[in-house]
Amino acid sequence: MNGSGEGLAAPATSGAAVSPLDWKFSQVFGERTAGEEVQEVDIISAIEFNRTGDHLATGDRGGRVVLFERTDIKDHGGHRRDLERMDYSISRHPEFRYKTEFQSHEPEFDYLKSLEIEEKINKIRWCQTANGALFLLSTNDKTIKYWKVQEKKVKKVCEMNVDASKYMENGSVASSMSSSSKPYLANEACKESPVSSPSNDSSFPSLHLPVVTSQETSLVARCRRVYTHAHDYHINSISNNSDGETFISADDLRINLWNLEISNQSFNIVDVKPANMEDLTEVITCAEFHPTHCNMLAYSSSKGSIRLIDLRQSALCDTHSKLFEEQEAPGSRSFFTEIIASISDIKFAKNGRHILSRDYMTLKLWDINMDSGPVATFQVHEYLRPKLCDLYENDSIFDKFECCLSGDGHRVATGSYSNLFRVFGCSEGSTEATTLEASKNPMRRQVQTPARPSRSLGSLPRVLRRGVDNSGADANGNSFDFTTKLLHLAWHPSENSIACAASNSLYMYYA
């Protein structure tokens, strides 16, 4: 595996070289026992930190969203509003715990097209928080949902002033009630009730209303809005705008702009569908809003190009303001050229200056002010070039690996086969190239996850190798396993901490 920044055209960031990080295992959720078979619905399909990094969300193929919250904070006064973050230099490492989960999507059937719509979560995006509530968007192939997760007080009936013995003289009433003086309450609790003196000579007691109290709190996820019927093809990405009011959703041929408050209307801002579908040469693979400029967004294509568009230019942005693509070397074209050039994921750097893209073979870093070519290229799968025929036969060549950048912009990361992921330094002069393997580590501390029906989350790593490896073998010298792949990962927005998913397991690393 070629780990150096081969083909480095120019430094991605200026300044002195940053020393390589020493990555360590932090936590694992959903660890499998030996020989346990993983259910298809439990495989993680999306992962995302929120803007502060205090919460992490994962989505799976079963349509479920699982939320985790950070725990390495100290309590002043015992009230939630007084919680103050610890100095991270004192904290051993970032720690998360299971918070809650909810069923976001269910399997559907499109009767007009006779098409099954699976519940798999394709993407999750966090929205702005308000009044202590968490908001997020999740999408499957066709439907986007806007969720609110908030602590609610659980209300219970604590007293019912009912005495069955008072009704015994009235046959009709007595026959309809139990002779027990412990009637069942509305909340299925049973409580001894005090005898109530009748207010008159009738056999009925005086009327008392039940008393309702709030005794505890629980997390409740509520679907606020459902955005649907806007895409003819599968939704591959969603992205929030920095204005906090709008977001985009993209499928193979179109990108739609939505207002968070309006679920029955969207605006088509990009349409690459040709008049004759036989003339179709490329499709949209991913779309992302600029992190600070609400009028700018970028989208990638199956031909390996990235287009930057400006919403101020026209209502329908079929023409781009900038095009980023790398010219192929003469004589290098083959049957697989277009397939491996297809971009599976793009991410803006936090400052908005750079765009990171992942195709099958490489990671590329682009400067939005320089469209002549990428400023850095990192070889991830060069060792697989002789195996492209086999990868095409077993469809592995179509695997869509995600990518991410560190908050400071000094490093980039992406996944690979055999549950490996790679971290590269992209600052000037950096040769950092680290490979980590998600696997069982007998020395690590066990993390308990609440028991949940038919699901589990995570098992984790054996740590790292550095440098170049062209052998096509893992850390133990075994050939790479193309059935195990690390497709989804996310970098903490402000710290050197990475969350990654392999199968049904969520792995956490820190440096």
Side-chain angles (χ1 to χ4, degrees):
M1 193 180 283
N2 193 343
S4 62
E6 187 176 311
L8 212 61
T13 55
S14 59
V18 180
S19 58
L21 295 176
D22 181 22
W23 290 92
K24 298 181 179 67
F25 164 70
S26 172
Q27 289 175 284
V28 57
F29 296 94
E31 185 168 21
R32 300 186 301 277
T33 58
E36 180 184 352
E37 185 177 346
V38 178
Q39 300 296 319
E40 178 80 9
V41 295
D42 292 331
I43 295 176
I44 297 173
S45 57
I47 185 169
E48 185 84 359
F49 279 104
N50 73 339
R51 184 174 297 181
T52 63
D54 291 339
H55 291 90
L56 175 68
T58 65
D60 63 25
R61 295 187 183 181
R64 291 164 292 196
V65 172
V66 183
L67 303 185
F68 300 87
E69 65 179 351
R70 190 160 182 173
T71 59
D72 52 320
I73 48 180
K74 57 185 177 179
D75 192 346
H76 294 286
H79 296 289
R80 195 168 186 83
R81 63 177 178 272
D82 296 324
L83 286 177
E84 180 180 320
R85 187 186 308 284
M86 290 179 66
D87 180 356
Y88 289 130
S89 62
I90 299 173
S91 176
R92 187 172 66 89
H93 61 79
E95 290 193 10
F96 286 80
R97 68 181 176 194
Y98 169 84
K99 184 179 179 73
T100 189
E101 70 175 86
F102 56 90
Q103 188 71 33
S104 176
H105 287 72
E106 301 281 356
E108 302 172 47
F109 189 81
D110 187 335
Y111 294 98
L112 295 177
K113 297 182 178 180
S114 296
L115 183 68
E116 289 185 1
I117 304 171
E118 59 181 349
E119 64 273 34
K120 172 191 168 188
I121 305 295
N122 291 341
K123 293 288 181 181
I124 294 174
R125 289 291 181 265
W126 289 90
C127 303
Q128 294 179 348
T129 59
N131 299 323
L134 303 173
F135 295 88
L136 51 88
L137 290 166
S138 63
T139 184
N140 66 353
D141 287 339
K142 295 290 185 180
T143 305
I144 307 162
K145 293 186 178 182
Y146 183 45
W147 290 91
K148 178 182 181 180
V149 181
Q150 188 177 32
E151 283 191 346
K152 291 282 189 180
K153 291 185 177 179
V154 179
K155 295 182 178 181
K156 292 185 177 180
V157 178
C158 70
E159 183 177 347
M160 289 282 286
N161 205 28
V162 177
D163 182 11
S165 63
K166 290 291 180 181
Y167 297 90
M168 293 307 293
E169 296 178 8
N170 188 318
S172 60
V173 177
S175 62
S176 63
M177 296 186 61
S178 169
S179 59
S180 170
S181 61
K182 297 181 180 180
Y184 285 96
L185 308 185
N187 64 347
E188 298 183 0
C190 187
K191 181 177 177 68
E192 185 79 44
S193 301
V195 176
S196 175
S197 299
S199 58
N200 50 43
D201 294 333
S202 70
S203 60
F204 292 95
S206 58
L207 179 63
H208 285 252
L209 294 176
V211 178
V212 179
T213 60
S214 300
Q215 296 180 334
E216 58 187 48
T217 60
S218 68
L219 280 166
V220 177
R222 186 164 63 92
C223 185
R224 296 286 302 273
R225 286 174 191 87
V226 179
Y227 313 89
T228 188
H229 305 307
H231 288 278
D232 291 330
Y233 303 93
H234 291 174
I235 298 171
N236 54 50
S237 54
I238 52 176
S239 178
N240 299 94
N241 197 347
S242 58
D243 64 9
E245 297 178 358
T246 56
F247 70 94
I248 54 171
S249 58
D251 65 22
D252 290 344
L253 299 179
R254 293 187 175 94
I255 300 176
N256 293 331
L257 177 68
W258 301 84
N259 187 300
L260 281 168
E261 302 298 321
I262 303 171
S263 60
N264 60 357
Q265 184 182 35
S266 65
F267 297 95
N268 178 228
I269 57 174
V270 175
D271 189 347
V272 300
K273 184 177 181 179
N276 185 352
M277 284 295 284
E278 292 181 357
D279 297 331
L280 182 67
T281 58
E282 63 180 333
V283 296
I284 299 168
T285 56
C286 187
E288 188 90 357
F289 259 120
H290 190 281
T292 56
H293 297 165
C294 61
N295 56 286
M296 291 176 62
L297 62 96
Y299 70 90
S300 58
S301 82
S302 58
K303 276 195 169 181
S305 62
I306 300 173
R307 290 172 173 83
L308 193 68
I309 63 176
D310 192 332
L311 296 173
R312 297 172 298 185
Q313 290 182 336
S314 65
L316 188 61
C317 305
D318 287 342
T319 57
H320 53 268
S321 56
K322 283 191 177 181
L323 174 66
F324 306 94
E325 60 183 355
E326 190 172 27
Q327 301 301 320
E328 61 185 68
S332 63
R333 190 168 183 80
S334 70
F335 172 78
F336 304 108
T337 299
E338 283 199 14
I339 300 175
I340 62 176
S342 178
I343 295 175
S344 56
D345 190 27
I346 60 171
K347 292 285 195 314
F348 271 100
K350 193 174 183 179
N351 61 8
R353 174 70 183 270
H354 295 91
I355 300 175
L356 180 67
S357 67
R358 171 69 204 265
D359 56 45
Y360 190 72
M361 304 297 284
T362 65
L363 272 175
K364 292 185 175 75
L365 194 67
W366 308 79
D367 188 326
I368 65 172
N369 295 329
M370 191 180 87
D371 53 8
S372 58
V375 295
T377 298
F378 306 95
Q379 301 294 343
V380 180
H381 281 164
E382 185 62 29
Y383 72 95
L384 291 177
R385 199 169 289 277
K387 302 181 176 70
L388 291 180
C389 284
D390 296 335
L391 294 166
Y392 179 78
E393 289 295 326
N394 63 21
D395 287 341
S396 293
I397 201 170
F398 301 106
D399 287 334
K400 299 184 185 303
F401 292 92
E402 294 180 0
C403 59
C404 58
L405 301 95
S406 61
D408 58 14
H410 292 317
R411 294 173 181 84
V412 297
T414 190
S416 183
Y417 293 105
S418 294
N419 289 348
L420 299 176
F421 69 97
R422 317 285 321 276
V423 180
F424 299 98
C426 57
S427 56
E428 183 178 1
S430 175
T431 59
E432 180 177 359
T434 305
T435 300
L436 299 98
E437 180 182 4
S439 61
K440 293 186 175 180
N441 182 347
M443 301 303 292
R444 61 178 165 74
R445 178 174 57 86
Q446 297 292 319
V447 178
Q448 297 297 324
T449 305
R452 288 166 282 157
S454 72
R455 94 176 279 119
S456 57
L457 258 175
S459 108
L460 192 78
R462 194 161 36 217
V463 208
L464 67 137
R465 296 176 290 124
R466 299 182 184 274
V468 178
D469 180 9
N470 289 312
S471 65
D474 63 17
N476 297 324
N478 301 317
S479 59
F480 280 100
D481 179 5
F482 299 110
T483 62
T484 59
K485 57 198 77 171
L486 198 151
L487 300 176
H488 312 286
L489 76 172
W491 202 302
H492 190 283
S494 59
E495 300 173 36
N496 289 318
S497 177
I498 292 177
C500 54
S503 186
N504 69 318
S505 303
L506 175 65
Y507 308 118
M508 310 286 290
Y509 277 98
Y510 74 103

